[in-house]
Amino acid sequence: MAWDFSTDPEFQEELDWVEEFVRDEVQPLDFLLGDPHDLVQPGYEELVRPLQETVKRRGLWACHLDPGLGGKGFGQVKLALMAEVMGRSRFGPTVFGCQAPDTGNSEILARYGTAKQKTRYLEPLLDNRIVSTFAMTEPHGGADPLMIRTTAALGAGGWTLNGQKWFATSARYAGFFLVVAITEPEASPHRRMSILIVPAGTPGIEILRNSKFHGEPEATHAHVRFTDVVVPVDSILGERGDAFVIAQNRLGGGRLHHAMRTIAQAQAAFDMMCSRALSRTTKGEQLAKKQLVQEKIADCWAKLRQFRLLVLETAWLLDQGRDYRAVRKNIAAVKATMPGVLHEVAAAALQVHGSLGLSDDMPFTDWIAQSFRLGLSDGPTEVHKVTIAREVLRDYEPDDESFPWYFRPAQEERARRSHGRG
């Protein structure tokens, strides 16, 4: 029987190094630089590139990828353990070559891309020489992919793209877009869409406006309009009509990776709360000795540990060879649980810090806002709860009798019969 919650000593040494490296070298970047996707901002080459080279020499670059693509093939559990640490910094994932949305985009390019597509887009993306955008959501459609209206029509000059996309993260910095568009209008609803690779700078791409979430240094989530944007015939990623399947593979991994990084944020908030509780006094005693503060600490610790185990179990299932669809229920549970955990821990930490916790000198209001973002991006919490219920109920059968099989008189009767006493 294999049932182990320990970490290999050799990998624990790597985790210890990552923790020290992130604390001493990476976290300071959050106060010196802007958005991690802006590769041409002043100071990026000077401050970020040397740290990336250190990570590469250590053999920890792009660990989400197989060795054939330049990664270590660590698997999801090891990646989760690393993300718990590097997720404490905005620049952590970038320094380690596993930043969103490029991780998900690189995974589907690696799986579905042609040799030509990999050379042009995947290789520079993996080397962080460009960043990318996944453009799926539309202003009118929200989380419903069947409401996509963007179209791509095939003609003599290639595919002509028309439509709008909403909250396309990092579009202003992207080297290329992965755009979900209707290419097969007569097909069944889930087979109408394809993904097109669209190079940035192609005529007809217009960023109408950039939005930002509370706490972000810059507005990087774009409202994009595509007007008669023409790309070559071979710009389709995968097969025609495969967008829904490809997107589900991409989003499954993305949801789990968000959760891994969320553990880091929630743990940071928890650590700050505990430190503050031991450092401040009121009414003649430490905050840590107040029962209501103790209750907050106890509740947050338990919920954070529960969430961490759920994430690690899901990562472990993927490492056992399950694909994202096979663990759909688990990923949905991770996604639905994640916002509440971060919100509760960050709110408790804010409360323990008092008025200081409300100020922008502390990260708690940013993290509380982030919790709502996590509850909306990649599908809202409500949708994932529906998924969980549907997946769970598949393992059960209805009872056709007047009373349920666990009705006590019926169980007593079965017990008597099974032991010859009926």
Side-chain angles (χ1 to χ4, degrees):
M1 176 179 179
W3 190 257
D4 195 351
F5 291 96
S6 64
T7 303
D8 295 338
E10 297 82 2
F11 191 65
Q12 186 59 55
E13 289 184 10
E14 297 298 322
L15 291 176
D16 293 341
W17 180 86
V18 171
E19 183 169 6
E20 181 179 354
F21 180 70
V22 169
R23 182 188 65 238
D24 296 342
E25 304 292 340
V26 182
Q27 284 185 283
L29 300 182
D30 294 353
F31 304 97
L32 300 173
L33 298 174
D35 191 276
H37 298 104
D38 184 0
L39 307 186
V40 297
Q41 64 181 295
Y44 194 95
E45 290 292 326
E46 175 188 356
L47 298 175
V48 178
R49 296 302 185 194
L51 300 186
Q52 291 177 329
E53 289 304 317
T54 300
V55 169
K56 290 176 181 179
R57 288 195 298 271
R58 186 82 186 189
L60 297 175
W61 178 260
C63 291
H64 64 292
L65 293 171
D66 291 334
L69 293 171
K72 296 290 288 186
F74 274 178
Q76 297 297 321
V77 171
K78 287 185 176 181
L79 180 62
L81 294 173
M82 290 178 63
E84 290 179 357
V85 181
M86 55 185 165
R88 289 189 172 223
S89 166
R90 283 190 296 111
F91 275 84
T94 297
V95 168
F96 283 81
C98 55
Q99 69 282 356
D102 299 330
T103 45
N105 293 343
S106 65
E107 286 178 351
I108 60 175
L109 275 168
R111 180 171 179 179
Y112 298 100
T114 64
K116 181 180 177 181
Q117 289 170 346
K118 291 177 183 178
T119 299
R120 181 172 179 181
Y121 300 107
L122 180 59
E123 291 179 10
L125 185 64
L126 294 180
D127 201 33
N128 191 227
R129 294 298 165 181
I130 59 173
V131 296
S132 59
T133 291
F134 189 76
M136 181 173 180
T137 305
E138 298 187 358
H140 58 276
D144 187 353
L146 298 184
M147 292 184 67
I148 286 176
R149 298 175 183 168
T150 299
T151 61
L154 185 60
W159 293 99
T160 300
L161 188 68
N162 283 283
Q164 296 184 38
K165 295 297 180 180
W166 173 243
F167 268 73
T169 300
S170 76
R172 64 188 295 182
Y173 306 123
F176 66 92
F177 298 71
L178 295 179
V179 183
V180 179
I182 296 173
T183 59
E184 322 300 317
E186 303 304 320
S188 61
H190 290 88
R191 297 292 305 169
R192 291 175 185 166
M193 298 168 287
S194 304
I195 295 178
L196 288 88
I197 307 175
V198 181
T202 303
I205 300 175
E206 180 184 5
I207 294 181
L208 301 177
R209 186 173 184 272
N210 286 298
S211 301
K212 72 174 182 176
F213 299 113
H214 181 82
E216 291 185 320
E218 298 173 13
T220 63
H221 308 285
H223 181 188
V224 187
R225 180 162 59 201
F226 300 92
T227 305
D228 293 331
V229 175
V230 179
V231 293
V233 175
D234 60 0
S235 296
I236 293 281
L237 179 64
E239 299 296 328
R240 292 174 58 167
D242 274 356
F244 190 82
V245 173
I246 296 173
Q248 286 304 308
N249 280 321
R250 182 196 179 280
L251 293 173
R255 289 161 183 152
L256 183 59
H257 297 161
H258 274 310
M260 295 173 181
R261 293 186 288 268
T262 298
I263 294 172
Q265 290 180 322
Q267 184 64 52
F270 182 79
D271 293 343
M272 293 174 188
M273 175 170 58
C274 291
S275 177
R276 185 69 169 180
L278 290 169
S279 303
R280 298 289 286 186
T281 60
T282 186
K283 302 294 184 180
E285 67 177 357
Q286 287 178 323
L287 288 177
K289 294 182 179 179
K290 303 293 184 183
Q291 288 185 335
L292 287 178
V293 174
Q294 291 173 347
E295 180 187 40
K296 290 181 185 297
I297 292 171
D299 287 347
C300 290
W301 183 86
K303 290 185 178 181
L304 182 53
R305 300 301 293 181
Q306 291 165 3
F307 177 60
R308 181 175 185 263
L309 288 175
L310 176 62
V311 172
L312 288 173
E313 180 197 30
T314 305
W316 179 83
L317 288 170
L318 287 168
D319 283 350
Q320 302 313 299
R322 314 277 185 92
D323 61 23
Y324 289 118
R325 187 166 185 82
V327 295
R328 185 182 180 190
K329 170 177 59 181
N330 304 71
I331 290 176
V334 164
K335 177 65 171 64
T337 305
M338 170 171 45
V341 172
L342 180 59
H343 186 279
E344 181 166 343
V345 178
L350 185 156
Q351 186 74 14
V352 170
H353 280 76
S355 58
L356 177 63
L358 281 170
S359 73
D360 58 8
D361 291 325
M362 292 287 110
F364 307 124
T365 54
D366 295 347
W367 289 339
I368 289 171
Q370 170 77 351
S371 74
F372 286 99
R373 175 186 176 183
L374 293 172
L376 292 170
S377 60
D378 294 345
T381 298
E382 294 85 350
V383 170
H384 291 287
K385 286 185 176 181
V386 170
T387 297
I388 297 167
R390 287 175 176 171
E391 293 292 317
V392 167
L393 290 173
R394 287 179 179 177
D395 295 330
Y396 293 85
E397 297 290 339
D399 198 327
D400 296 329
E401 300 298 328
S402 298
F403 294 97
W405 63 266
Y406 43 86
F407 182 51
R408 183 178 180 87
Q411 292 195 78
E412 289 175 348
E413 178 64 21
R414 285 194 296 272
R416 287 192 293 269
R417 290 177 180 175
S418 66
H419 289 279
R421 296 176 181 238

